[in-house]
Amino acid sequence: MTMRSPARRTHGRAARTAVGMIAAGLVASAALAGSAALAGASSAATMTLRTAADARGKDIGVALDPNRLGETAYRSIADTEFSLVVPENAMKWDATEPTQGTFTYTAGDQVAAYASSTGKELYGHTLVWHSQLPGWVSNLDGAALLAAEKSHITNLVTHFSGAVSSWDVVNEAFNDDGSRRQSIFQTKIGDSWIEQAFTTARAADPTAKLCINDYSTDAINAKSTAIYNLVKDFTARGIPIDCVGFQAHLILGQVPGDLQANLQRFADLGVDVRITELDIRMSTPSDATKLATQAANYASVVTACLAVSRCQGITIWGITDTYSWVPSTFPGQGAALVWDESYSPKPAYAAIVAALGGAPTPTPSVTPTPTASPTAPPASGCSVRYTSTQWNTGFTASITITNTAASPVTGWVLRWAYPSGQTVTQAWSSVTTQSGAIVTAANAAWNPTIAAHGGSVQFGLNGAYSGTNAAPTSFTLNGAACAVL
Ligand code: XIL
């Protein structure tokens, strides 16, 4: 069952493929979005991860621990910011079948009830995995293990049928070199354990999407290629498989440059793809520079998913750094999530919203910047409208270039000077750089053309300022001055 209206799956506009990040002057505008998340979606103008993702037809998910839902901030963010939930641990084998043949669904049902009552999609994680297995599984031989695998899958998928829309059927089945992980399933059942899992899941719920999920598969590499080959093989042999999950437990500054290409090659096989467990860890403590890089990294992942129409969305592996699995798993690392330990949104929050094409509405107030320029130069072949909203130290600007000439512009570069020391921290729908006060915004790969006789392009950016945030008063398009509207 999907909780969404069919319209959510229609991908309206062309995917935006470029987020231009400036090389220098990345400023963490930690105040950005303020407590917008905690304030909830009380105002139609409040942009959240969810409203921004909804507008792009993508899921924005979170790994949920139902035991935390009693915490006001946790609950409020979960309620407001996400359209999909996945139980972080509640549907794993040790949680659901601690004794052979005895199924406990209490925690899983809590997550399912929460998803249902809040109108969110429910993603199932995970049916067969070498980790978080109850001890009794390790005593089984090949035939008994296969029977247990099938029984476990049948029971879970049947129990949650109608509630779970997609399952991670098999998790982490491969080694980094592309060989099969020598898990108990692999060593005692053999290669067929994966296809048996998928076939069994399909029989239990023919409508749920069935996914294979793994980590370190975000780039094109031996491991992702092994899964790619598995999908090809399954498809050729009629073994059911609908989707591939890319965990994306990433390290700061190491978003693979070929993430989008990797997602696309799987999509081209005819399966859906999804970022399933996104977090971006850094050595702790964090600082403004690291958080700015992290924001850019989150935006890159979002941008890659947006660019692939079969990418269903992005799931973040938790809400607050306080409960992230990272520090206990990777000692010395942390700060990997989007909300810090006080539930304040980190710069990644605004970066994700911006990458999704929205502008987060800051709290407590939004002050429009005056945009009219009484000294606008006479109209030439172009006009520019620059508008921005600002809060204490940050702003979001929207820039529209209109081509008033009789011939189209193919390939555009818009330049302006910031009058009061503003620095661009992030841009979208353009490739934007800054040198001193001068900002140069060039077209993204997908929007090079501005049609003649009034055609326009629009792009946006986030920036930081101190003191005043005066709008630029003149712009050049490919070297020629534009009218300022
Ligand atoms: C992690 C959870 O976040 C932790 O709470 C738990 O202790 C261990 O598992 N890949 C997966 C997830 O597929 O299920 C893991 O979740 C993180 C790595």
Side-chain angles (χ1 to χ4, degrees):
M1 168 176 65
T2 177
M3 307 287 183
R4 301 164 310 181
S5 70
R8 288 209 62 240
R9 270 283 160 262
T10 55
H11 299 281
R13 287 172 290 162
R16 294 174 179 173
T17 55
V19 171
M21 293 305 307
I22 61 166
L26 287 169
V27 175
S29 45
L32 184 55
S35 57
L38 297 179
S42 52
S43 142
T46 301
M47 183 66 81
T48 64
L49 299 187
R50 181 176 188 163
T51 54
D54 279 354
R56 302 303 296 271
K58 302 290 185 189
D59 300 324
I60 182 83
V62 66
L64 198 81
D65 177 353
N67 299 317
R68 306 288 177 197
L69 283 171
E71 272 180 59
T72 309
Y74 187 96
R75 167 90 201 215
S76 166
I77 291 173
D79 283 358
T80 309
E81 298 288 342
F82 298 100
S83 60
L84 175 151
V85 290
V86 54
E88 184 174 357
N89 291 302
M91 290 185 192
K92 289 174 180 173
W93 198 320
D94 60 353
T96 51
E97 196 184 1
T99 304
Q100 186 165 16
T102 304
F103 292 88
T104 54
Y105 295 118
T106 318
D109 283 347
Q110 283 170 359
V111 180
Y114 174 74
S116 167
S117 68
T118 54
K120 301 183 199 301
E121 191 161 337
L122 177 62
Y123 191 93
H125 174 81
T126 177
L127 295 171
V128 194
W129 186 27
H130 65 276
S131 190
Q132 291 178 273
L133 279 175
W136 60 265
V137 173
S138 60
N139 301 325
L140 302 178
D141 67 17
L145 184 62
L146 181 58
E149 172 186 312
K150 290 183 174 177
S151 159
H152 183 75
I153 293 170
T154 301
N155 275 279
L156 263 82
V157 173
T158 303
H159 179 81
F160 290 108
S161 93
V164 164
S165 52
S166 307
W167 278 104
D168 284 336
V169 176
V170 164
N171 197 29
E172 302 182 351
F174 288 89
N175 293 316
D176 286 353
D177 67 1
S179 61
R180 290 286 187 96
R181 179 191 291 275
Q182 295 303 296
S183 68
I184 185 171
F185 303 104
Q186 182 68 32
T187 54
K188 292 200 176 165
I189 300 172
D191 277 355
S192 76
W193 75 271
I194 299 183
E195 61 197 76
Q196 304 263 11
F198 277 84
T199 306
T200 305
R202 177 66 96 228
D205 181 358
T207 62
K209 301 268 192 200
L210 306 181
C211 315
I212 188 163
N213 190 50
D214 216 320
Y215 65 92
S216 296
T217 51
D218 315 299
I220 296 175
N221 57 30
K223 192 176 189 180
S224 62
T225 299
I227 296 180
Y228 179 87
N229 290 334
L230 177 140
V231 171
K232 253 195 349 205
D233 171 53
F234 275 24
T235 308
R237 292 194 292 121
I239 310 290
I241 186 162
D242 305 305
C243 32
V244 179
F246 300 81
Q247 292 186 7
H249 290 296
L250 298 173
I251 297 170
L252 190 72
Q254 296 184 25
V255 179
D258 55 2
L259 172 60
Q260 179 188 322
N262 192 36
L263 298 176
Q264 188 64 56
R265 72 172 175 151
F266 282 87
D268 291 344
L269 291 178
V271 288
D272 288 340
V273 294
R274 180 187 294 278
I275 304 295
T276 49
E277 304 185 14
L278 180 60
D279 50 26
I280 303 178
R281 61 186 183 264
M282 60 184 74
S283 56
T284 46
S286 67
D287 61 30
T289 306
K290 290 181 202 172
L291 291 175
T293 304
Q294 183 186 52
N297 290 169
Y298 266 101
S300 301
V301 174
V302 170
T303 301
C305 179
L306 285 175
V308 176
S309 62
R310 290 199 81 136
C311 183
Q312 303 299 298
I314 296 132
T315 295
I316 302 169
W317 205 244
I319 294 175
T320 163
D321 288 334
T322 310
Y323 302 136
S324 165
W325 75 303
V326 167
S328 59
T329 312
F330 306 97
Q333 306 271 304
L337 293 172
V338 176
W339 284 266
D340 69 14
E341 293 178 345
S342 317
Y343 286 104
S344 292
K346 291 149 68 175
Y349 179 88
I352 296 170
V353 174
L356 288 167
T361 303
T363 54
S365 66
V366 179
T367 311
T369 303
T371 54
S373 170
T375 56
S380 56
C382 52
S383 66
V384 173
R385 179 182 300 278
Y386 178 102
T387 58
S388 80
T389 56
Q390 68 188 49
W391 53 102
N392 46 353
T393 57
F395 66 98
T396 297
S398 171
I399 298 116
T400 304
I401 311 170
T402 302
N403 176 16
T404 51
S407 49
V409 172
T410 308
W412 50 266
V413 176
L414 191 77
R415 272 206 185 87
W416 68 89
Y418 268 126
S420 41
Q422 296 100 323
T423 46
V424 178
T425 52
Q426 185 185 30
W428 52 97
S429 306
S430 70
V431 179
T432 295
T433 56
Q434 183 168 10
S435 174
I438 307 297
V439 179
T440 304
N443 62 274
W446 54 271
N447 65 358
T449 306
I450 316 177
H453 302 297
S456 65
V457 293
Q458 190 262 332
F459 65 99
L461 57 85
N462 287 333
Y465 74 99
S466 69
T468 54
N469 181 30
T473 52
S474 63
F475 298 86
T476 60
L477 178 66
N478 295 349
C482 297
V484 181
L485 303 178

